[in-house]
């Protein structure tokens, strides 16, 4: 009839993921979590690098990893998530 179908298992997994975002957050390393919080506060990569005493390239790498782990695409998504 042209409608979408998902199995009960997939529906259950989607529902569990929607109600437990903490599980995704727990997948982050301590440093990724630190970068996440600072990005959500609106800090620039340079500010974060200075604050954490690491290079901008390293901050960018952590940002890329946390975006991937959380399924996000932008800093705006990070702010909404946090």
């Amino acid at each position: 009839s042209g409608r979408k179908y998902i199995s009960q298992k997939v529906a259950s997994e989607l529902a569990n993921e929607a109600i437990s975002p903490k599980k995704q957050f727990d997948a982050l390393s301590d440093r990724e979590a630190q970068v996440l919080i600072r990005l959500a506060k609106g800090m620039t990569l340079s500010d974060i690098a200075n604050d954490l005493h690491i290079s901008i390239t390293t901050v960018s790498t952590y940002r890329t990893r946390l975006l991937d782990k959380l399924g996000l695409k932008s800093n705006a998504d990070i702010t909404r998530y946090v």
Side-chain angles (χ1 to χ4, degrees):
S1 64
R3 294 174 31 180
K4 305 278 187 233
Y5 172 80
I6 58 172
S7 69
Q8 182 63 32
K9 180 181 177 190
V10 171
S12 178
E13 288 177 14
L14 289 171
N16 287 337
E17 188 174 314
I19 60 173
S20 62
K22 185 176 189 261
K23 181 176 139 186
Q24 292 175 331
F25 181 81
D26 290 343
L28 299 180
S29 70
D30 290 341
R31 190 60 103 183
E32 289 166 344
Q34 292 169 347
V35 170
L36 174 76
I37 299 302
R38 285 165 174 78
L39 287 168
K41 289 180 180 180
M43 292 177 73
T44 66
L45 296 181
S46 178
D47 292 338
I48 296 169
N50 289 331
D51 194 40
L52 298 176
H53 307 288
I54 57 179
S55 74
I56 294 172
T57 304
T58 302
V59 174
S60 182
T61 298
Y62 285 127
R63 179 185 175 276
T64 300
R65 287 181 188 168
L66 71 88
L67 288 173
D68 185 50
K69 287 181 180 181
L70 298 176
L72 305 174
K73 295 185 189 313
S74 68
N75 286 0
D77 287 344
I78 288 171
T79 302
R80 279 191 294 273
Y81 177 85
V82 171

